[in-house]
Amino acid sequence: KAAFINFISDEEWKSIEPVSSWFGPSSFLMSSMSALFKLSMWIRHGHGYLTENLGIPVWGSYAVFGFATLFLGMVLGLVSEALGTE
């Protein structure tokens, strides 16, 4: 607390460079990183649900997510191919 008060009273905040808009909280980069973090948390919770609640072994949970990734890749590939041949 004392360090923060000294930071304000000694006006040390004036010597700090502002954050670039590229790294600001509302920038595309930070929004993308936030979305990836949320996805990783969703995957973690899904893994916990599969292993703890449903009793699937850890390797089975990895297999489920692996097949889901392959399936999603195939669907996205088919959609992009269908949209690209108009």
Side-chain angles (χ1 to χ4, degrees), residues 7-41:
F7 178 78
I8 299 299
S9 63
D10 295 341
E11 296 184 355
E12 294 176 22
W13 53 271
K14 289 184 178 181
S15 64
I16 295 178
E17 294 290 324
V19 175
S20 167
S21 64
W22 182 249
F23 294 107
S26 62
S27 71
F28 175 75
L29 178 66
M30 291 299 131
S31 297
S32 300
M33 291 299 292
S34 173
L36 285 174
F37 180 75
K38 288 177 185 176
L39 176 65
S40 72
M41 292 305 295

Side-chain angles (χ1 to χ4, degrees), residues 32-61:
S32 300
M33 291 299 292
S34 173
L36 285 174
F37 180 75
K38 288 177 185 176
L39 176 65
S40 72
M41 292 305 295
W42 181 83
I43 291 171
R44 180 178 171 202
H45 289 298
H47 173 73
Y49 177 77
L50 291 174
T51 56
E52 294 169 11
N53 294 1
L54 298 181
I56 295 175
V58 172
W59 64 265
S61 175

